[in-house]
């Protein structure tokens, strides 16, 4: 069973930075992609960033392009989300996720964790 352990959430002032980390384990076949989506209270779920574990290509939501960077380690078991120039509207619960299907490009995943809170104060 896929297990995801996420860390790095917290509170920061607008303009600041945070880095989320996520380790995936327990799988038989390496996920096709890893990434994050977020959800703020009263808002719909929003895909944030995806990285394809095979080639390392990435996809970002327009709202975070140029500010967030997703990366993976050489073993392709860890994924990181570096978040810079954070804005108040980035405040949300962030979920680490992995995907096995062909919908990674639409930020649709197969498994995700319980999330970590990111709070940006203005």
């Amino acid at each position: 069973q896929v297990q995801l352990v996420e860390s790095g959430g917290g509170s920061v002032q607008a303009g600041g930075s945070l880095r989320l980390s996520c380790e995936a384990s327990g799988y038989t076949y390496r996920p096709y992609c890893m990434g994050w989506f977020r959800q703020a209270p009263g808002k719909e779920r929003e895909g944030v960033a995806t990285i394809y574990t095979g080639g390392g290509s990435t996809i970002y939501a327009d709202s975070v392009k140029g500010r967030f960077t997703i990366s993976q380690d050489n073993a392709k078991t860890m994924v990181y989300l570096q978040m810079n120039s954070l804005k108040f509207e980035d405040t949300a619960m962030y979920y680490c996720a992995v995907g096995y299907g062909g919908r990674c490009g639409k930020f649709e995943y197969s498994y995700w964790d319980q999330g970590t809170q990111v709070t940006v104060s203005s």
Side-chain angles (χ1 to χ4, degrees), residues 3-77:
Q3 294 182 332
L4 299 167
V5 178
E6 183 178 4
S7 62
S11 298
V12 66
Q13 288 189 332
S17 298
L18 283 174
R19 189 189 195 211
L20 303 182
S21 301
C22 180
E23 181 175 17
S25 63
Y27 50 82
T28 301
Y29 301 100
R30 188 181 70 198
Y32 183 55
C33 72
M34 299 180 72
W36 270 272
F37 63 90
R38 65 188 181 186
Q39 188 163 23
K43 294 187 177 181
E44 292 186 355
R45 182 176 120 169
E46 178 188 22
V48 175
T50 287
I51 186 166
Y52 291 90
T53 59
S57 59
T58 57
I59 299 174
Y60 295 94
D62 288 343
S63 58
V64 306
K65 280 181 182 176
R67 300 188 298 121
F68 291 11
T69 302
I70 189 170
S71 60
Q72 62 183 349
D73 69 335
N74 289 336
K76 300 178 182 179
T77 60

Side-chain angles (χ1 to χ4, degrees), residues 81-99:
L81 186 68
Q82 178 67 41
M83 304 184 292
N84 298 330
S85 302
L86 282 160
K87 303 176 181 180
F88 175 76
E89 50 265 41
D90 293 319
T91 297
M93 187 72 78
Y94 283 70
Y95 298 86
C96 174
V98 300

